[in-house]
Amino acid sequence: MRHNRKGKVLGRTKEPREALMRSLATSFVVYEKITTTKAKAKALRPVVEKLITLAKNDTLHNRRQALKFLYTDASVKKLFEVIGPKYQERKGGYTRITKLGSRAGDGAEMAVIETV
């Protein structure tokens, strides 16, 4: 039974899955739009939404919290100086997932996750 099991496993163990989410989140902050599989996009959405909510209040503690998760200093800087102020008045729902269809190689469902 899956009682109290949150999130998707994505066919990985804990450490590679966390590294994947950190990498996807860093890329998302830098480019504000990435193409990935539908399952990864759905798993990434709550992670990115929490980071954007954190960036709305620019304090040293919040910057350090984001730096613990994101890989690059430049992505943290962009998150707090560009993305955070952009969504200052918005209560939530900062991202949109658009389905693209199947990938040619293996038939995986692809999606674009982008800021609204």
Side-chain angles (χ1 to χ4, degrees), residues 63-106:
R63 278 183 181 261
R64 285 179 175 165
Q65 291 292 318
L67 192 57
K68 253 186 356 183
F69 191 78
L70 297 174
Y71 279 125
T72 63
D73 294 335
S75 61
V76 173
K77 185 175 181 181
K78 181 173 182 181
L79 181 67
F80 280 89
E81 294 177 4
V82 177
I83 298 173
K86 183 175 161 184
Y87 295 108
Q88 199 65 43
E89 300 300 319
R90 196 174 176 103
K91 299 280 189 225
Y94 314 111
T95 59
R96 170 189 308 131
I97 296 176
T98 308
K99 296 173 189 161
L100 294 177
S102 298
R103 183 162 51 195
D106 60 356

Side-chain angles (χ1 to χ4, degrees), residues 3 5 8 13 23 27 52 58 72 81 97 105 108 110:
H3 296 303
R5 298 287 191 146
K8 296 288 181 193
T13 55
S23 175
S27 295
I52 294 173
D58 189 1
T72 63
E81 294 177 4
I97 296 176
M110 299 299 289

Side-chain angles (χ1 to χ4, degrees), residues 21 24-25 28 34 39-49 113:
M21 285 297 115
L24 286 172
F28 181 80
I34 56 173
K40 288 177 190 171
K42 284 183 168 185
L44 179 65
R45 176 183 254 169
V47 171
V48 171
E49 300 260 346
I113 181 167

Side-chain angles (χ1 to χ4, degrees), residues 30 35 38 108:
V30 171
T35 302
K38 190 172 92 173

